[in-house]
Amino acid sequence: MRIIRLDEQSRKNLLEDLLKRDPNNYTSYETTVQAIVEDVRSRRDQAVFAYTENFDKVRLDASSIRVTDREIEEAYAQVDPELLTVMRHSMENIRRYHEKQKRDSWFESKPDGTILGQKVTPLASVGVYVPGGKAAYPSSVLMNIIPAEVAGVSRIVMVTPPGRDGKVNPVTLVAAHLAGATEVYKVGGAQAVAALAFGTESIPRVDKIVGPGNIFVALAKKAVYGHVSIDSIAGPSEILVLADDSANPRYVAADLLSQAEHDELASAILVTTSMDLAHKVSAEVDGFVKTLSRREILEKSLENYGYILVADSMADAISVANEIASEHLEIVTRNPFEVMTKIRNAGAIFLGEYSSEPLGDYFAGPNHVLPTNGTARFFSPLGVDDYIKKSSIIYYSREALEAVHGEIERFAEAEHLTAHANSIRVRFEED
């Protein structure tokens, strides 16, 4: 990995380089995606079936697009029982963590006859997009569906591309059933997002769409935003390790590669105060890359967006970590809890040398759907809050309104909204 001394110029170059990974930069695909979205909105099922046959080489119709109970039973028979046990343990941790995020409605009454409050209501329906192809990501299925189930969403719809056999990957399907999906449809790509957003004869529309996908899926979510809610427009995965000279270079190297293997646009960055650690980590990375199965992806990812930055002080290292606002941040220092208090921007923070990033991906419980491309400056991990909405509650008695009606009328008149003022005034005409 390249080793760079951290200064103002290298910091500026790095931040500009990382911005190239933003999905919003891929405008060349937007016309194609918009055309698919509009076609599905217009032709509905007919368009969905046509795109599925064209892209996935599978011919489906209204009778076969939805996964049946029989297909779910067949999927269970194909999944390794040991993997089922692991998934159930992971689910317990995920559900326990997200249960703590639940919010209750609240009301506050005062002696003057006013009641104010907030009513919390789960969304009625959400759509969860799950990538297909050769790979299966049951962990993402659990992370997207379980918070919705905890929030109380009554209709949880999963969409995922079918394989050439017209079936959903059995591990993906079992994970969806375990987590609480109420419906599963065999459709992927931008056409799946459009179907969820606008509805078709076979796929009723939803209120919100979540879940990862390729650039076509990301841009489709962007295109339908406003017709439905979305979680985010996710970019490539990324990890930043913040370390001092106490860190184990072999552990750090392994953790950097755990994200670099996702794809060629993934980012893996070490920020350290130790030049000695920098060289040792670089050597360990070279050794690991030669032995790992996704070598070509790892090499390209590290060539494109792999960095080791050597800072003059921990304060400088923390500063650049906050600027990068990484999706995953590992703190491997003598006192990681102290350093953590100075971190403002990160999707998920992993503390100490035994809290490596895959612990969060698969098992610990916190959600692994995290803000990317610096959006941790203002976005949070996926959670129960993403599956609820809030309504304000206002009640005033006549006596309570009488005490303040003059002030409200003056405020409305100052904005030249006389009908607003009149709406208050008419209640006290007899006075």
Short mmCIF file of all heavy atoms in Angstrom, two decimals, residues 322-379:
data_model
loop_
_atom_site.label_atom_id
_atom_site.label_comp_id
_atom_site.label_asym_id
_atom_site.label_seq_id
_atom_site.Cartn_x
_atom_site.Cartn_y
_atom_site.Cartn_z
N ASN A 322 -12.24 12.59 10.99
CA ASN A 322 -13.52 13.28 11.02
C ASN A 322 -13.86 13.89 9.66
O ASN A 322 -15.03 13.97 9.28
CB ASN A 322 -13.51 14.37 12.10
CG ASN A 322 -13.78 13.82 13.49
OD1 ASN A 322 -14.57 12.89 13.65
ND2 ASN A 322 -13.14 14.39 14.49
N GLU A 323 -12.86 14.32 8.92
CA GLU A 323 -13.10 14.87 7.58
C GLU A 323 -13.54 13.78 6.61
O GLU A 323 -14.44 13.97 5.80
CB GLU A 323 -11.86 15.56 7.05
CG GLU A 323 -11.63 16.95 7.57
CD GLU A 323 -10.58 17.69 6.77
OE1 GLU A 323 -10.91 18.20 5.69
OE2 GLU A 323 -9.42 17.75 7.22
N ILE A 324 -12.90 12.63 6.68
CA ILE A 324 -13.24 11.53 5.78
C ILE A 324 -14.61 10.97 6.12
O ILE A 324 -15.37 10.56 5.24
CB ILE A 324 -12.16 10.43 5.84
CG1 ILE A 324 -10.84 10.97 5.26
CG2 ILE A 324 -12.60 9.18 5.09
CD1 ILE A 324 -9.66 10.05 5.47
N ALA A 325 -14.97 10.94 7.41
CA ALA A 325 -16.29 10.46 7.86
C ALA A 325 -16.58 9.07 7.31
O ALA A 325 -17.56 8.85 6.60
CB ALA A 325 -17.39 11.45 7.47
N SER A 326 -15.74 8.14 7.65
CA SER A 326 -15.80 6.80 7.05
C SER A 326 -17.02 6.01 7.48
O SER A 326 -17.55 6.17 8.58
CB SER A 326 -14.53 6.03 7.43
OG SER A 326 -14.48 4.78 6.78
N GLU A 327 -17.42 5.11 6.61
CA GLU A 327 -18.51 4.18 6.91
C GLU A 327 -18.15 3.33 8.13
O GLU A 327 -18.94 3.21 9.07
CB GLU A 327 -18.74 3.28 5.69
CG GLU A 327 -19.79 2.22 5.88
CD GLU A 327 -19.84 1.24 4.70
OE1 GLU A 327 -18.86 1.17 3.94
OE2 GLU A 327 -20.86 0.54 4.57
N HIS A 328 -16.98 2.71 8.12
CA HIS A 328 -16.49 1.92 9.25
C HIS A 328 -15.22 2.59 9.79
O HIS A 328 -14.31 2.88 9.02
CB HIS A 328 -16.13 0.49 8.84
CG HIS A 328 -17.24 -0.23 8.12
ND1 HIS A 328 -17.29 -0.32 6.75
CD2 HIS A 328 -18.32 -0.88 8.60
CE1 HIS A 328 -18.37 -1.02 6.41
NE2 HIS A 328 -19.00 -1.38 7.51
N LEU A 329 -15.15 2.79 11.09
CA LEU A 329 -13.97 3.36 11.71
C LEU A 329 -13.51 2.44 12.84
O LEU A 329 -14.26 2.20 13.79
CB LEU A 329 -14.26 4.75 12.28
CG LEU A 329 -13.15 5.38 13.14
CD1 LEU A 329 -11.90 5.64 12.30
CD2 LEU A 329 -13.62 6.67 13.79
N GLU A 330 -12.30 1.92 12.71
CA GLU A 330 -11.70 1.15 13.80
C GLU A 330 -10.70 2.02 14.53
O GLU A 330 -9.87 2.69 13.90
CB GLU A 330 -10.99 -0.09 13.25
CG GLU A 330 -11.92 -1.15 12.71
CD GLU A 330 -11.19 -2.45 12.36
OE1 GLU A 330 -9.98 -2.56 12.66
OE2 GLU A 330 -11.83 -3.35 11.81
N ILE A 331 -10.77 2.01 15.87
CA ILE A 331 -9.81 2.75 16.68
C ILE A 331 -8.96 1.73 17.43
O ILE A 331 -9.45 1.01 18.31
CB ILE A 331 -10.52 3.68 17.67
CG1 ILE A 331 -11.40 4.67 16.91
CG2 ILE A 331 -9.49 4.43 18.51
CD1 ILE A 331 -12.21 5.59 17.82
N VAL A 332 -7.69 1.64 17.04
CA VAL A 332 -6.78 0.67 17.64
C VAL A 332 -5.62 1.45 18.25
O VAL A 332 -4.54 1.60 17.67
CB VAL A 332 -6.28 -0.35 16.60
CG1 VAL A 332 -5.59 -1.52 17.30
CG2 VAL A 332 -7.41 -0.87 15.73
N THR A 333 -5.87 1.99 19.43
CA THR A 333 -4.89 2.81 20.14
C THR A 333 -4.80 2.34 21.59
O THR A 333 -5.56 1.47 22.02
CB THR A 333 -5.31 4.29 20.11
OG1 THR A 333 -6.59 4.43 20.74
CG2 THR A 333 -5.40 4.82 18.67
N ARG A 334 -3.90 2.93 22.34
CA ARG A 334 -3.74 2.54 23.74
C ARG A 334 -5.01 2.78 24.55
O ARG A 334 -5.34 2.02 25.45
CB ARG A 334 -2.56 3.29 24.36
CG ARG A 334 -1.21 2.76 23.93
CD ARG A 334 -0.07 3.48 24.63
NE ARG A 334 1.20 2.89 24.28
CZ ARG A 334 1.86 3.13 23.14
NH1 ARG A 334 1.31 3.99 22.25
NH2 ARG A 334 3.01 2.55 22.87
N ASN A 335 -5.71 3.86 24.23
CA ASN A 335 -6.95 4.17 24.93
C ASN A 335 -8.04 4.51 23.90
O ASN A 335 -8.35 5.67 23.66
CB ASN A 335 -6.76 5.33 25.90
CG ASN A 335 -7.95 5.48 26.85
OD1 ASN A 335 -9.05 4.99 26.57
ND2 ASN A 335 -7.73 6.16 27.96
N PRO A 336 -8.62 3.49 23.26
CA PRO A 336 -9.58 3.76 22.19
C PRO A 336 -10.83 4.49 22.67
O PRO A 336 -11.43 5.24 21.90
CB PRO A 336 -9.91 2.36 21.67
CG PRO A 336 -9.57 1.42 22.79
CD PRO A 336 -8.42 2.05 23.49
N PHE A 337 -11.22 4.29 23.92
CA PHE A 337 -12.43 4.96 24.42
C PHE A 337 -12.22 6.46 24.52
O PHE A 337 -13.12 7.25 24.26
CB PHE A 337 -12.84 4.37 25.77
CG PHE A 337 -13.39 2.98 25.67
CD1 PHE A 337 -12.55 1.88 25.78
CD2 PHE A 337 -14.73 2.76 25.42
CE1 PHE A 337 -13.05 0.59 25.66
CE2 PHE A 337 -15.24 1.48 25.30
CZ PHE A 337 -14.40 0.38 25.42
N GLU A 338 -11.02 6.87 24.89
CA GLU A 338 -10.73 8.31 24.95
C GLU A 338 -10.74 8.91 23.54
O GLU A 338 -11.30 9.99 23.33
CB GLU A 338 -9.36 8.54 25.60
CG GLU A 338 -8.98 10.01 25.68
CD GLU A 338 -7.59 10.23 26.25
OE1 GLU A 338 -6.96 9.25 26.70
OE2 GLU A 338 -7.12 11.38 26.22
N VAL A 339 -10.12 8.22 22.58
CA VAL A 339 -10.10 8.71 21.21
C VAL A 339 -11.52 8.79 20.66
O VAL A 339 -11.89 9.74 19.95
CB VAL A 339 -9.23 7.80 20.32
CG1 VAL A 339 -9.34 8.20 18.85
CG2 VAL A 339 -7.77 7.85 20.78
N MET A 340 -12.34 7.80 20.99
CA MET A 340 -13.71 7.74 20.49
C MET A 340 -14.51 8.99 20.85
O MET A 340 -15.35 9.45 20.08
CB MET A 340 -14.40 6.48 21.04
CG MET A 340 -15.85 6.30 20.60
SD MET A 340 -17.02 6.98 21.78
CE MET A 340 -16.78 5.87 23.17
N THR A 341 -14.24 9.57 22.01
CA THR A 341 -14.99 10.76 22.42
C THR A 341 -14.71 11.95 21.51
O THR A 341 -15.49 12.91 21.49
CB THR A 341 -14.65 11.15 23.88
OG1 THR A 341 -13.26 11.52 23.97
CG2 THR A 341 -14.94 10.00 24.84
N LYS A 342 -13.62 11.90 20.75
CA LYS A 342 -13.26 13.00 19.86
C LYS A 342 -13.69 12.77 18.42
O LYS A 342 -13.44 13.59 17.54
CB LYS A 342 -11.74 13.22 19.92
CG LYS A 342 -11.26 13.56 21.33
CD LYS A 342 -9.75 13.58 21.43
CE LYS A 342 -9.30 13.82 22.87
NZ LYS A 342 -7.83 13.76 23.04
N ILE A 343 -14.33 11.64 18.18
CA ILE A 343 -14.82 11.32 16.83
C ILE A 343 -16.23 11.88 16.67
O ILE A 343 -17.13 11.57 17.44
CB ILE A 343 -14.83 9.80 16.59
CG1 ILE A 343 -13.41 9.25 16.64
CG2 ILE A 343 -15.50 9.47 15.26
CD1 ILE A 343 -12.47 9.80 15.56
N ARG A 344 -16.42 12.69 15.65
CA ARG A 344 -17.73 13.27 15.37
C ARG A 344 -18.42 12.56 14.20
O ARG A 344 -19.65 12.50 14.14
CB ARG A 344 -17.59 14.76 15.03
CG ARG A 344 -17.10 15.62 16.18
CD ARG A 344 -17.04 17.08 15.77
NE ARG A 344 -18.35 17.57 15.32
CZ ARG A 344 -19.29 18.03 16.14
NH1 ARG A 344 -19.08 18.06 17.45
NH2 ARG A 344 -20.43 18.46 15.65
N ASN A 345 -17.62 12.07 13.25
CA ASN A 345 -18.20 11.58 12.01
C ASN A 345 -17.74 10.16 11.69
O ASN A 345 -16.58 9.94 11.32
CB ASN A 345 -17.82 12.49 10.84
CG ASN A 345 -18.22 13.94 11.08
OD1 ASN A 345 -19.27 14.22 11.64
ND2 ASN A 345 -17.38 14.87 10.66
N ALA A 346 -18.63 9.20 11.83
CA ALA A 346 -18.35 7.81 11.46
C ALA A 346 -19.67 7.05 11.46
O ALA A 346 -20.55 7.33 12.28
CB ALA A 346 -17.37 7.16 12.43
N GLY A 347 -19.80 6.09 10.55
CA GLY A 347 -21.01 5.29 10.52
C GLY A 347 -21.07 4.34 11.69
O GLY A 347 -22.03 4.32 12.46
N ALA A 348 -20.03 3.53 11.85
CA ALA A 348 -19.92 2.62 12.99
C ALA A 348 -18.50 2.69 13.52
O ALA A 348 -17.54 2.76 12.74
CB ALA A 348 -20.25 1.19 12.57
N ILE A 349 -18.35 2.67 14.83
CA ILE A 349 -17.04 2.80 15.47
C ILE A 349 -16.72 1.50 16.19
O ILE A 349 -17.50 1.03 17.03
CB ILE A 349 -17.02 3.98 16.47
CG1 ILE A 349 -17.41 5.29 15.75
CG2 ILE A 349 -15.65 4.11 17.12
CD1 ILE A 349 -17.58 6.47 16.68
N PHE A 350 -15.57 0.92 15.89
CA PHE A 350 -15.12 -0.34 16.47
C PHE A 350 -13.91 -0.05 17.37
O PHE A 350 -12.94 0.56 16.91
CB PHE A 350 -14.72 -1.33 15.37
CG PHE A 350 -15.84 -1.65 14.41
CD1 PHE A 350 -16.18 -0.76 13.40
CD2 PHE A 350 -16.55 -2.83 14.52
CE1 PHE A 350 -17.22 -1.04 12.51
CE2 PHE A 350 -17.58 -3.13 13.64
CZ PHE A 350 -17.92 -2.24 12.64
N LEU A 351 -13.98 -0.46 18.62
CA LEU A 351 -12.98 -0.08 19.60
C LEU A 351 -12.11 -1.27 20.00
O LEU A 351 -12.63 -2.30 20.44
CB LEU A 351 -13.65 0.50 20.84
CG LEU A 351 -14.57 1.72 20.60
CD1 LEU A 351 -15.29 2.09 21.89
CD2 LEU A 351 -13.77 2.89 20.08
N GLY A 352 -10.81 -1.12 19.87
CA GLY A 352 -9.88 -2.13 20.34
C GLY A 352 -9.57 -3.18 19.29
O GLY A 352 -10.26 -3.34 18.29
N GLU A 353 -8.51 -3.95 19.55
CA GLU A 353 -8.00 -4.86 18.53
C GLU A 353 -8.84 -6.11 18.34
O GLU A 353 -8.62 -6.86 17.38
CB GLU A 353 -6.55 -5.24 18.84
CG GLU A 353 -6.35 -6.02 20.12
CD GLU A 353 -4.88 -6.35 20.36
OE1 GLU A 353 -4.04 -5.87 19.58
OE2 GLU A 353 -4.59 -7.08 21.31
N TYR A 354 -9.81 -6.36 19.20
CA TYR A 354 -10.66 -7.54 19.03
C TYR A 354 -12.07 -7.19 18.56
O TYR A 354 -12.97 -8.01 18.61
CB TYR A 354 -10.71 -8.36 20.32
CG TYR A 354 -9.37 -8.97 20.63
CD1 TYR A 354 -8.54 -8.43 21.61
CD2 TYR A 354 -8.90 -10.05 19.88
CE1 TYR A 354 -7.29 -8.98 21.87
CE2 TYR A 354 -7.65 -10.60 20.13
CZ TYR A 354 -6.85 -10.06 21.12
OH TYR A 354 -5.59 -10.59 21.35
N SER A 355 -12.23 -5.96 18.09
CA SER A 355 -13.53 -5.53 17.57
C SER A 355 -13.38 -5.20 16.09
O SER A 355 -13.59 -4.06 15.65
CB SER A 355 -14.04 -4.30 18.34
OG SER A 355 -14.10 -4.58 19.72
N SER A 356 -13.02 -6.20 15.32
CA SER A 356 -12.80 -5.97 13.89
C SER A 356 -14.12 -5.77 13.16
O SER A 356 -15.18 -6.22 13.61
CB SER A 356 -12.01 -7.12 13.27
OG SER A 356 -12.73 -8.33 13.37
N GLU A 357 -14.05 -5.13 12.02
CA GLU A 357 -15.24 -4.73 11.26
C GLU A 357 -16.21 -5.87 10.96
O GLU A 357 -17.44 -5.69 11.08
CB GLU A 357 -14.80 -4.01 9.99
CG GLU A 357 -15.91 -3.35 9.21
CD GLU A 357 -16.66 -4.35 8.35
OE1 GLU A 357 -16.06 -5.40 7.99
OE2 GLU A 357 -17.83 -4.10 8.03
N PRO A 358 -15.76 -7.07 10.57
CA PRO A 358 -16.72 -8.14 10.29
C PRO A 358 -17.59 -8.54 11.48
O PRO A 358 -18.66 -9.11 11.30
CB PRO A 358 -15.81 -9.30 9.85
CG PRO A 358 -14.61 -8.64 9.27
CD PRO A 358 -14.40 -7.45 10.16
N LEU A 359 -17.15 -8.24 12.69
CA LEU A 359 -17.98 -8.47 13.87
C LEU A 359 -19.29 -7.70 13.74
O LEU A 359 -20.37 -8.20 14.07
CB LEU A 359 -17.22 -8.04 15.13
CG LEU A 359 -17.97 -8.12 16.46
CD1 LEU A 359 -18.29 -9.56 16.81
CD2 LEU A 359 -17.15 -7.47 17.57
N GLY A 360 -19.19 -6.47 13.24
CA GLY A 360 -20.38 -5.66 13.02
C GLY A 360 -21.17 -6.10 11.81
O GLY A 360 -22.40 -6.02 11.79
N ASP A 361 -20.47 -6.57 10.78
CA ASP A 361 -21.17 -7.02 9.57
C ASP A 361 -22.12 -8.16 9.85
O ASP A 361 -23.20 -8.24 9.25
CB ASP A 361 -20.14 -7.47 8.53
CG ASP A 361 -19.73 -6.36 7.59
OD1 ASP A 361 -20.29 -5.25 7.71
OD2 ASP A 361 -18.85 -6.58 6.75
N TYR A 362 -21.71 -9.08 10.72
CA TYR A 362 -22.43 -10.33 10.82
C TYR A 362 -23.13 -10.60 12.15
O TYR A 362 -24.14 -11.29 12.18
CB TYR A 362 -21.46 -11.51 10.58
CG TYR A 362 -20.91 -11.54 9.19
CD1 TYR A 362 -19.55 -11.29 8.96
CD2 TYR A 362 -21.72 -11.83 8.10
CE1 TYR A 362 -19.04 -11.32 7.68
CE2 TYR A 362 -21.20 -11.86 6.81
CZ TYR A 362 -19.86 -11.61 6.61
OH TYR A 362 -19.36 -11.63 5.34
N PHE A 363 -22.62 -10.08 13.27
CA PHE A 363 -23.01 -10.74 14.51
C PHE A 363 -23.32 -9.86 15.71
O PHE A 363 -24.21 -10.19 16.50
CB PHE A 363 -21.91 -11.73 14.90
CG PHE A 363 -22.36 -12.84 15.78
CD1 PHE A 363 -23.08 -13.91 15.26
CD2 PHE A 363 -22.08 -12.84 17.14
CE1 PHE A 363 -23.52 -14.95 16.07
CE2 PHE A 363 -22.51 -13.86 17.96
CZ PHE A 363 -23.22 -14.93 17.42
N ALA A 364 -22.61 -8.76 15.88
CA ALA A 364 -22.70 -8.03 17.16
C ALA A 364 -24.11 -7.53 17.45
O ALA A 364 -24.57 -7.56 18.58
CB ALA A 364 -21.70 -6.88 17.18
N GLY A 365 -24.80 -7.03 16.40
CA GLY A 365 -26.15 -6.52 16.61
C GLY A 365 -26.42 -5.17 15.99
O GLY A 365 -27.47 -4.96 15.38
N PRO A 366 -25.52 -4.17 16.14
CA PRO A 366 -25.72 -2.89 15.46
C PRO A 366 -25.81 -3.08 13.95
O PRO A 366 -25.24 -4.02 13.39
CB PRO A 366 -24.46 -2.09 15.84
CG PRO A 366 -24.06 -2.66 17.15
CD PRO A 366 -24.36 -4.13 17.06
N ASN A 367 -26.53 -2.18 13.29
CA ASN A 367 -26.81 -2.37 11.88
C ASN A 367 -25.56 -2.13 11.03
O ASN A 367 -24.76 -1.24 11.31
CB ASN A 367 -27.92 -1.42 11.42
CG ASN A 367 -28.72 -2.03 10.31
OD1 ASN A 367 -28.26 -2.14 9.18
ND2 ASN A 367 -29.94 -2.43 10.62
N HIS A 368 -25.41 -2.94 9.98
CA HIS A 368 -24.27 -2.75 9.10
C HIS A 368 -24.63 -1.95 7.85
O HIS A 368 -23.78 -1.75 6.97
CB HIS A 368 -23.60 -4.09 8.74
CG HIS A 368 -24.32 -4.90 7.70
ND1 HIS A 368 -24.08 -6.24 7.52
CD2 HIS A 368 -25.23 -4.59 6.75
CE1 HIS A 368 -24.82 -6.70 6.52
NE2 HIS A 368 -25.52 -5.71 6.05
N VAL A 369 -25.86 -1.47 7.76
CA VAL A 369 -26.22 -0.54 6.68
C VAL A 369 -25.87 0.86 7.18
O VAL A 369 -26.53 1.41 8.05
CB VAL A 369 -27.72 -0.64 6.34
CG1 VAL A 369 -28.07 0.31 5.20
CG2 VAL A 369 -28.07 -2.08 5.96
N LEU A 370 -24.81 1.42 6.61
CA LEU A 370 -24.17 2.60 7.17
C LEU A 370 -23.98 3.69 6.10
O LEU A 370 -23.90 3.39 4.92
CB LEU A 370 -22.79 2.23 7.75
CG LEU A 370 -22.80 1.14 8.83
CD1 LEU A 370 -21.39 0.62 9.06
CD2 LEU A 370 -23.39 1.69 10.12
N PRO A 371 -23.86 4.94 6.53
CA PRO A 371 -23.62 6.02 5.57
C PRO A 371 -22.23 5.92 4.96
O PRO A 371 -21.26 5.60 5.64
CB PRO A 371 -23.76 7.29 6.42
CG PRO A 371 -23.52 6.83 7.83
CD PRO A 371 -24.02 5.42 7.91
N THR A 372 -22.14 6.20 3.66
CA THR A 372 -20.87 6.11 2.92
C THR A 372 -20.54 7.46 2.28
O THR A 372 -21.34 8.39 2.30
CB THR A 372 -20.96 5.03 1.82
OG1 THR A 372 -22.05 5.38 0.93
CG2 THR A 372 -21.21 3.66 2.41
N ASN A 373 -19.35 7.52 1.68
CA ASN A 373 -18.93 8.70 0.92
C ASN A 373 -19.02 10.00 1.72
O ASN A 373 -19.44 11.03 1.21
CB ASN A 373 -19.74 8.85 -0.36
CG ASN A 373 -19.35 7.84 -1.42
OD1 ASN A 373 -20.09 6.89 -1.66
ND2 ASN A 373 -18.18 8.00 -2.03
N GLY A 374 -18.65 9.95 2.98
CA GLY A 374 -18.63 11.16 3.80
C GLY A 374 -19.97 11.57 4.35
O GLY A 374 -20.07 12.55 5.09
N THR A 375 -21.03 10.82 4.02
CA THR A 375 -22.36 11.20 4.50
C THR A 375 -22.58 10.90 5.97
O THR A 375 -23.63 11.26 6.53
CB THR A 375 -23.48 10.54 3.66
OG1 THR A 375 -23.34 9.11 3.76
CG2 THR A 375 -23.39 10.95 2.20
N ALA A 376 -21.60 10.26 6.62
CA ALA A 376 -21.69 10.09 8.08
C ALA A 376 -21.61 11.45 8.79
O ALA A 376 -21.85 11.52 9.99
CB ALA A 376 -20.59 9.16 8.57
N ARG A 377 -21.30 12.50 8.06
CA ARG A 377 -21.35 13.85 8.64
C ARG A 377 -22.78 14.24 9.00
O ARG A 377 -23.00 15.08 9.86
CB ARG A 377 -20.77 14.86 7.65
CG ARG A 377 -19.26 14.75 7.45
CD ARG A 377 -18.74 15.74 6.42
NE ARG A 377 -19.24 15.44 5.09
CZ ARG A 377 -20.07 16.22 4.40
NH1 ARG A 377 -20.52 17.33 4.95
NH2 ARG A 377 -20.47 15.88 3.20
N PHE A 378 -23.77 13.62 8.32
CA PHE A 378 -25.15 14.01 8.59
C PHE A 378 -26.14 12.85 8.55
O PHE A 378 -27.32 13.04 8.85
CB PHE A 378 -25.62 15.10 7.61
CG PHE A 378 -25.24 14.82 6.17
CD1 PHE A 378 -26.01 13.99 5.38
CD2 PHE A 378 -24.12 15.41 5.63
CE1 PHE A 378 -25.67 13.74 4.06
CE2 PHE A 378 -23.76 15.17 4.30
CZ PHE A 378 -24.55 14.33 3.52
N PHE A 379 -25.72 11.65 8.19
CA PHE A 379 -26.58 10.47 8.19
C PHE A 379 -26.19 9.51 9.30
O PHE A 379 -25.05 9.53 9.79
CB PHE A 379 -26.52 9.73 6.86
CG PHE A 379 -27.37 10.33 5.77
CD1 PHE A 379 -26.97 10.28 4.44
CD2 PHE A 379 -28.59 10.92 6.06
CE1 PHE A 379 -27.74 10.82 3.43
CE2 PHE A 379 -29.38 11.46 5.05
CZ PHE A 379 -28.95 11.41 3.74
#
